[in-house]
Amino acid sequence: MVQPVIVSAVRTAIGRSFKGSLVNVPSETLATTIVTEAVRRSGIDPALVDDVILAELNYGGGDLARYAAVASGMTSVPGQAVNRHCAGSLTAIANAAAHVGVGAERVIVAGGVQSLSTAPIMKWRVPGVEFEFKEPWIPPSHPETPDAPTLDMAITVGWNTAKAVGISRAEMDAWAARSHQRAIDAIDAGKFQDEIVSLKAQLPDGSIVDFAVDEHPRRGTTVERLAALPVLHPEIDGFSITAGNSSGINDAAAAVTVVGDDVAAAQGVEVLAKVRAWANVAVTPRDNGLAASAVIGKVLGRAGLAVGDVTLWEINEAFASTPIAAVREHGMDEELVNFSGSGCSLGHPISASGARMVTTLIYELRRRGGGVGVAAMCAGGGQGGALVIEV
């Protein structure tokens, strides 16, 4: 088989949904920006691109990948939409690696896009009633049960995980505070500059800015400030999930270019990383937050690796309880996990988060002289996804 490799990786800065810098930037613009830049950075002739695969969620259909291909001038390139909730863009990259690995395609741009700020509002016709609609409506990710509500991830992911593993409020607040500090430190050190593509954004006041710095991390976040926040469900005895130890609601896009190592050699382009393995799992929706832990074991087995072989980890902070549970189960060194922040601080632009994680891993591993990186996350409906790369 051909070895799939990544020859470019790029993301936008992450905005705060509904009130941040990307509030007036639609999904189509984010998608076109990221696909165009991924191809440009790859050094590959756009005429050689075989496909674009982008994750999208709550976009309402339309196929962002095909839109971006055409808008980027690649009118002969098809586009594929992927939905695996939070793990969608990890799946998009895995799909690209699989196609390239078996020789079905040679060059694929893969990633994800999320603009909750401009997402359409859907309505659903109540079956059996001719003119009755439920609006707004979000399609469910799983059959709802009392312990796994479909629209309240604070319970289904955050709280259920904390209860199952015995994670305290103090531990989650400490993890979230560290996440913000690491993200701020990374921004101040300029670590994200190479991985971010700047784009023009119209702010709510009508002014135009070059948006190139993640805006969700909060300076001055401390454990004490997080401890003062109210829990999201005070009516539930012992509830410990707050807005502070949860991920943000965010907009962003990220993409990589995946090619065969033979294509990279023939085109004379630099290989940034090898794609070594990928995996997906499912658990009962009640245990959604534990899916990240489960998929890590599966993907390490596929790659023939042990925990100690991994140089750096990105485990998405859908809630702080998620990476804490994974660290405990697998005995990881938490200093190697979410080295520049994650969902609690950088934010969680759902369909883009996986590709963002892979992009950040690539650039950080290159700064450290190489190594193995694992990106893993839970996903709606009781799913989990992971990808192993080597720089």
Side-chain angles (χ1 to χ4, degrees):
M1 288 179 63
V2 173
Q3 170 64 57
V5 298
I6 294 172
V7 294
S8 73
V10 62
R11 69 177 180 93
T12 68
I14 301 170
R16 294 193 185 107
S17 297
F18 309 116
K19 57 185 178 181
S21 299
L22 296 178
V23 66
N24 293 317
V25 180
S27 296
E28 294 84 358
T29 299
L30 292 173
T32 302
T33 298
I34 213 70
V35 168
T36 300
E37 184 66 9
V39 175
R40 188 192 71 80
R41 292 189 180 199
S42 74
I44 300 284
D45 186 339
L48 297 179
V49 176
D50 293 307
D51 204 356
V52 176
I53 306 175
L54 294 180
E56 57 182 61
L57 179 68
N58 293 336
Y59 172 62
D63 195 348
L64 278 172
R66 172 58 181 164
Y67 183 101
V70 175
S72 300
M74 299 184 294
T75 55
S76 63
V77 178
Q80 177 188 136
V82 171
N83 181 2
R84 202 189 296 273
H85 292 268
C86 308
S89 53
L90 285 185
T91 298
I93 297 171
N95 288 353
H99 283 297
V100 166
V102 299
E105 308 287 8
R106 291 165 58 81
V107 179
I108 300 177
V109 178
V113 179
Q114 193 73 57
S115 174
L116 290 173
S117 294
T118 65
I121 295 175
M122 292 182 281
K123 66 180 180 180
W124 175 68
R125 188 180 70 81
V126 178
V129 183
E130 187 173 0
F131 295 111
E132 184 174 341
F133 292 85
K134 182 177 181 180
E135 182 181 352
W137 177 73
I138 298 176
S141 59
H142 61 272
E144 186 164 83
T145 58
D147 58 358
T150 59
L151 298 182
D152 195 339
M153 294 298 104
I155 294 174
T156 303
V157 179
W159 175 232
N160 286 355
T161 302
K163 286 193 301 179
V165 182
I167 302 169
S168 69
R169 162 79 182 268
E171 289 172 307
M172 290 185 284
D173 286 348
W175 186 283
R178 187 198 74 163
S179 181
H180 278 275
Q181 187 58 59
R182 287 189 167 192
I184 293 296
D185 289 347
I187 291 170
D188 290 347
K191 283 189 173 184
F192 297 138
Q193 289 180 0
D194 289 343
E195 68 190 58
I196 290 177
V197 57
S198 176
L199 55 77
K200 299 289 184 182
Q202 183 183 41
L203 300 183
D205 64 4
S207 61
I208 304 296
V209 299
D210 290 312
F211 181 56
V213 179
D214 300 311
E215 64 185 8
H216 194 74
R218 295 182 182 274
R219 294 181 182 274
T221 297
T222 63
V223 171
E224 291 74 22
R225 288 184 177 182
L226 291 173
L229 294 175
V231 298
L232 297 178
H233 286 287
E235 76 282 3
I236 298 177
D237 185 44
F239 201 81
S240 55
I241 307 303
T242 71
N245 55 42
S246 307
S247 61
I249 300 173
N250 303 95
D251 305 327
V256 304
T257 304
V258 180
V259 307
D261 56 352
D262 57 339
V263 172
Q267 295 295 313
V269 298
E270 183 181 11
V271 171
L272 301 183
K274 297 177 183 178
V275 182
R276 288 193 51 173
W278 54 89
N280 299 286
V281 299
V283 298
T284 179
R286 181 197 63 236
D287 295 328
N288 201 335
L290 299 176
S293 300
V295 78
I296 286 170
K298 184 174 181 179
V299 81
L300 289 179
R302 285 188 171 176
L305 297 170
V307 169
D309 297 322
V310 178
T311 309
L312 292 173
W313 304 84
E314 280 269 1
I315 306 174
N316 186 45
E317 294 163 359
F319 295 85
S321 57
T322 305
I324 294 174
V327 166
R328 286 191 186 179
E329 178 172 340
H330 296 286
M332 300 168 183
D333 179 353
E334 68 176 44
E335 290 303 308
L336 305 179
V337 180
N338 300 349
F339 43 88
S340 295
S342 184
C344 289
S345 54
L346 292 173
H348 181 19
I350 306 168
S351 289
S353 287
R356 194 286 303 166
M357 293 158 64
V358 171
T359 296
T360 302
L361 270 173
I362 288 172
Y363 282 89
E364 183 66 20
L365 285 168
R366 286 168 62 83
R367 277 190 290 269
R368 299 188 184 205
V372 173
V374 174
M377 59 206 310
C378 62
Q383 302 178 87
L387 192 83
V388 178
I389 61 169
E390 183 174 3
V391 172

